[in-house]
């Protein structure tokens, strides 16, 4: 009972602090205070304790994202990464359970400017080069052939044609490096510099050569309608077993989301501090 009273007292102190901060900011109602407290507690509860290699600042592993429209009560906390993006072609899959994936930094293109040859030979070389790269992605990525290819750079039109022809691979491009790092944390994938960095699969593959990872689920959630103001495509990468609690994303909705965002970030840090304090 004494421990329960101490926990209750700690939670009441947390709520009182958040309410005071909301009053200081202004423009936030009681329902905003409630949702900020609820979301902050959810984040802290689902995030694992920091390891010796991790930063003690929980906000390095939490992203708070404003999503247009809706109400603050529709805000949601994800164990994984959510970012603004969509697959590059509508024929590609946008919802895959237990999704193997690979994360690449460099563009998947052919450097035609440093090749001295006539146009016909250049086109043939480009086709052969990109065929080999697409084949490498589908056959050599370990531990499992990917169904999702996430790239910081661009993917050439010819490479996309080859990928679509082969089938079975969704592509997302233009993803910032900090998002790639977050995806790596919650899927076990490595942030691989380029397709050439993928080691050729052998009869006795080594775990040291594993660059791929897996999401519990990958899907694209679309908010609003295409062409209308406020439309947004959100890619969701849910953390896989063994990597849960490594990164969280909170999607804040409603007209007060802009005001609530800095308060929520502060509340998450406070909630983690109180959690660690109670465990001493």
């Amino acid at each position: 009972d004494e421990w329960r009273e101490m926990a209750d007292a700690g939670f009441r102190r947390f709520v009182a602090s958040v309410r005071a901060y909301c009053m200081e900011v202004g423009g936030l109602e009681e329902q905003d205070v409630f949702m900020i407290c609820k979301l902050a507690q959810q984040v802290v509860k689902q995030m694992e304790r920091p390891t010796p290699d991790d930063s003690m600042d929980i906000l390095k592993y939490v992203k708070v994202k404003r999503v247009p429209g809706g109400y603050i009560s529709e805000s949601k906390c994800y164990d994984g990464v959510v970012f603004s993006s969509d697959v590059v072609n509508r024929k590609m899959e946008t919802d895959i359970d237990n999704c193997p994936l690979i994360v690449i930094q460099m563009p998947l293109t052919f450097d035609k400017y440093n090749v001295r040859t006539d146009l016909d030979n250049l086109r043939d070389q480009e086709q052969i080069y990109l065929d080999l790269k697409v084949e490498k992605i589908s056959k050599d990525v370990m531990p499992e052939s990917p169904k999702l290819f996430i790239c910081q750079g661009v993917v050439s039109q010819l490479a996309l044609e080859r990928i679509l022809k082969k089938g079975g691979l969704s592509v997302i491009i233009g993803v910032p490096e900090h998002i790639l790092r977050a995806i790596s944390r919650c899927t076990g994938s490595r942030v691989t510099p380029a397709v050439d960095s993928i080691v050729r699969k052998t009869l006795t593959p080594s775990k040291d050569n594993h660059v791929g990872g897996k999401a519990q689920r990958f899907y694209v959630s679309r908010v609003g309608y295409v062409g209308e103001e406020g439309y947004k495509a959100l890619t969701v990468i849910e953390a896989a077993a063994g990597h849960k609690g490594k990164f969280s994303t909170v999607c804040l909705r409603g007209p007060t989301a802009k005001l609530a965002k800095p308060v929520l970030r502060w509340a998450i840090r406070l909630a983690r501090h109180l959690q660690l304090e109670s465990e001493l």
Side-chain angles (χ1 to χ4, degrees):
D1 289 339
E2 289 181 8
W3 281 108
R4 188 180 295 114
E5 285 177 13
M6 286 176 65
D8 290 344
F11 182 70
R12 286 196 298 271
R13 180 155 59 106
F14 169 70
V15 174
S17 298
V18 172
R19 183 178 284 115
Y21 194 3
C22 286
M23 289 179 65
E24 185 181 322
V25 170
L28 295 169
E29 306 292 337
E30 190 62 27
Q31 64 175 350
D32 299 311
V33 176
F34 171 77
M35 281 305 299
I36 288 169
C37 291
K38 180 181 176 182
L39 291 166
Q41 291 290 327
Q42 283 180 354
V43 168
V44 169
K45 194 173 289 186
Q46 78 180 14
M47 290 289 285
E48 67 173 18
R49 302 298 185 273
T51 66
D53 294 331
D54 288 340
S55 168
M56 289 299 291
D57 184 2
I58 190 174
L59 289 182
K60 288 191 178 294
Y61 311 115
V62 178
K63 179 182 179 186
V64 179
K65 182 174 182 60
R66 288 192 291 131
V67 177
Y71 303 93
I72 195 164
S73 59
E74 296 173 324
S75 301
K76 191 174 177 182
C77 178
Y78 296 84
D79 188 353
V81 189
V82 182
F83 56 99
S84 300
S85 197
D86 202 344
V87 293
V88 296
N89 190 287
R90 62 183 181 181
K91 293 180 182 178
M92 293 175 174
E93 290 288 334
T94 56
D95 193 341
I96 305 171
D97 286 322
N98 297 314
C99 178
L101 56 84
I102 184 169
V103 175
I104 298 285
Q105 290 181 296
M106 299 294 288
L108 180 54
T109 56
F110 178 69
D111 187 6
K112 62 186 74 176
Y113 300 105
N114 290 324
V115 180
R116 295 183 180 180
T117 184
D118 61 71
L119 287 175
D120 289 337
N121 284 335
L122 188 64
R123 179 170 289 276
D124 289 341
Q125 285 183 35
E126 183 176 12
Q127 289 177 350
I128 293 168
Y129 175 85
L130 292 173
D131 279 340
L132 290 170
K133 297 304 172 193
V134 172
E135 193 72 10
K136 191 171 186 65
I137 292 166
S138 64
K139 285 191 174 181
D140 288 337
V141 173
M142 293 182 281
E144 191 175 346
S145 295
K147 294 182 180 178
L148 177 62
F149 179 86
I150 301 174
C151 188
Q152 183 177 352
V154 298
V155 175
S156 74
Q157 188 60 41
L158 190 56
L160 287 175
E161 289 172 10
R162 293 294 187 270
I163 289 169
L164 284 168
K165 186 178 179 180
K166 195 170 185 64
L169 186 66
S170 298
V171 178
I172 296 174
I173 62 173
V175 181
E177 185 176 354
H178 72 279
I179 298 294
L180 299 185
R181 301 288 173 194
I183 294 170
S184 174
R185 274 185 69 85
C186 62
T187 64
S189 61
R190 290 187 192 174
V191 178
T192 308
V195 174
D196 288 335
S197 303
I198 301 169
V199 177
R200 185 177 180 182
K201 189 180 286 187
T202 62
L203 292 174
T204 55
S206 167
K207 282 190 175 181
D208 292 338
N209 296 330
H210 287 190
V211 294
K214 180 175 278 191
Q216 179 172 297
R217 184 185 173 201
F218 145 70
Y219 64 98
V220 178
S221 175
R222 296 181 175 88
V223 179
Y225 298 95
V226 178
E228 291 187 1
E229 187 178 353
Y231 170 78
K232 189 177 282 286
L234 299 172
T235 292
V236 182
I237 307 290
E238 292 184 353
H243 299 281
K244 290 186 177 295
K246 296 281 190 180
F247 196 92
S248 288
T249 305
V250 179
C251 288
L252 266 181
R253 305 202 67 191
T256 56
K258 187 174 182 180
L259 292 172
K261 181 175 178 177
V263 181
L264 176 58
R265 287 174 56 83
W266 174 85
I268 291 168
R269 191 176 271 147
L270 175 62
R272 171 49 68 90
H273 172 76
L274 293 172
Q275 180 194 51
L276 296 176
E277 187 181 77
S278 70
E279 294 173 356
L280 293 176

